[in-house]
Amino acid sequence: MSQIIDGKAIAAQIKDELKEEVMRMRSGGISAALAVIQVGRDPASSIYVNNKKKACEYVGIHSEVYELPEEVSQEELLALVGRLNRDDKINGILVQLPLPGHINEESVITAISPKKDVDGFHTENAGRLMVGKKGFIPCTPAGIIQLIKRSGFDIEGKECVVIGRSNIVGKPMAALLLQENGTVTVAHSKTAHLKEVSSRADILVAAIGKPKFITADYVKEGAVVIDVGIHRMADRKMCGDVDFDSVYKKAAAITPVPGGVGPMTIAMLLCNCVEAAKR
Ligand code: NAP
């Protein structure tokens, strides 16, 4: 029987720990505040922004949401980022992605002060992660490390395979697993013999963006399988990049979708906000 890694429960545990920390900080005169910028009214983005706001409220982090119209210019958006960078009351700034096509995402991300970049997407923070210096770590891979550790699995010495090499998931994931002394392979769309590569993994992280792509024949018996993908199917049900029903029987542990990696992403954003306030 495979263990189902309960991301909801682990995220709740982290949020409760943070709530206590925020209370302790407040009694020492330190408060945490996050500014979230949303451009346009994409329904999925609105749900994410609202969830972040609610999570901040729960742990006691002040949050401010800036809703800008779809047609806002890049200059106006950059001006707001600049104002928030200079605002001493704001510790963390997050720009909800994706942005409309006329705005260059990279310019906006690099305009955020690295000290307030709680998403960990700024190149300075990406560089810090690569050389093992303290900085902000992207929330999804940071959450996955917590999921693995808090479920009682060791990373050190383990064969880790990450499928996907995006800047926000795959690459930082590989860097973090390496920091934890895993032996890391990064696979992608040009990887030859993917099944052979992924079947070597003691820890397999699937961040591909293709529903139910990873079936049991990609997985080693007894592996820990982390499913980063999120997809809404035609029947409105959600699934991940892993074919849960077949992989569940073979893996030692697996994250479900929903309720696995997803809840951890927000929990780690809160961690980064608290860290930003402390710094
Ligand atoms: P992405 O930027 O589209 O990257 C996908 C990666 O998968 C790329 O590196 C791509 O390789 C690789 N890939 C695509 N097809 C492949 C194949 N047939 N074989 C092997 N590798 C393949 O996606 P992302 O932003 O990393 O996100 C991945 C998934 O995670 C998406 O479903 C996304 O919605 C989800 N996600 C979830 C959370 C969460 O909180 N749970 C957070 C972020 C993302 P190339 O580089 O060669 O193109």
Side-chain angles (χ1 to χ4, degrees):
M1 269 283 268
S2 174
Q3 173 187 340
I4 296 180
I5 297 178
D6 187 345
K8 246 172 135 170
I10 296 172
Q13 191 183 25
I14 291 174
K15 282 195 249 178
D16 285 338
E17 290 167 10
L18 286 170
K19 198 173 179 173
E20 280 183 23
E21 197 168 351
V22 168
M23 259 179 335
R24 273 197 303 273
M25 280 162 55
R26 210 177 273 155
S27 57
I30 303 171
S31 55
L34 170 71
V36 180
I37 305 175
Q38 185 185 355
V39 180
R41 300 293 302 160
D42 171 56
S45 290
S46 298
I47 293 172
Y48 290 138
V49 168
N50 202 31
N51 287 344
K52 286 168 187 171
K53 206 172 132 188
K54 278 201 275 194
C56 280
E57 251 164 54
Y58 181 76
V59 302
I61 296 173
H62 171 71
S63 68
E64 292 175 6
V65 178
Y66 294 83
E67 289 171 344
L68 304 182
E70 181 86 21
E71 57 286 355
V72 71
S73 70
Q74 182 161 317
E75 289 64 36
E76 286 170 297
L77 177 54
L78 290 175
L80 174 59
V81 170
R83 266 205 316 280
L84 294 169
N85 279 341
R86 292 186 296 275
D87 186 340
D88 291 340
K89 292 189 293 299
I90 297 292
N91 319 106
I93 303 171
L94 181 155
V95 178
Q96 185 64 43
L97 302 178
L99 291 169
H102 65 281
I103 295 176
N104 182 303
E105 277 186 6
E106 208 190 318
S107 307
V108 176
I109 290 166
T110 49
I112 297 172
S113 161
K115 293 190 178 74
K116 297 189 178 187
D117 168 41
V118 284
D119 255 341
F121 294 164
H122 194 289
T123 44
E124 183 175 319
N125 283 315
R128 284 180 168 271
L129 173 60
M130 286 314 292
V131 295
K133 275 192 176 172
K134 220 171 153 60
F136 290 112
I137 297 167
C139 303
T140 301
I144 291 170
I145 295 290
Q146 288 298 316
L147 276 182
I148 297 170
K149 285 185 167 176
R150 288 180 186 239
S151 302
F153 296 101
D154 289 330
I155 300 171
E156 183 161 319
K158 294 291 183 317
E159 201 67 61
C160 306
V161 176
V162 180
I163 313 183
R165 55 174 164 180
S166 70
N167 290 336
I168 59 167
V169 187
K171 281 181 198 156
M173 186 73 253
L176 287 172
L177 289 165
L178 192 59
Q179 248 175 36
E180 296 290 338
N181 297 321
T183 302
V184 184
T185 303
V186 183
H188 45 78
S189 69
K190 307 289 186 288
T191 297
H193 314 297
L194 183 62
K195 275 186 192 171
E196 274 170 41
V197 174
S198 68
S199 300
R200 288 205 302 263
D202 301 310
I203 298 172
L204 178 63
V205 180
I208 309 163
K210 299 215 158 113
K212 300 189 186 184
F213 183 94
I214 299 297
T215 47
D217 45 346
Y218 283 84
V219 178
K220 179 163 106 175
E221 192 86 45
V224 174
V225 179
I226 308 291
D227 189 353
V228 187
I230 312 175
H231 311 278
R232 173 111 27 212
M233 304 305 276
D235 60 4
R236 305 294 300 149
K237 281 197 185 136
M238 284 178 76
C239 76
D241 289 347
V242 176
D243 177 35
F244 185 91
D245 293 339
S246 70
V247 173
Y248 170 73
K249 297 179 194 119
K250 209 169 176 187
I254 182 167
T255 59
V257 178
V261 172
M264 293 300 290
T265 300
I266 292 193
M268 299 321 286
L269 169 70
L270 302 174
C271 276
N272 279 350
C273 290
V274 168
E275 186 59 32
K278 283 201 287 194
R279 284 184 204 169

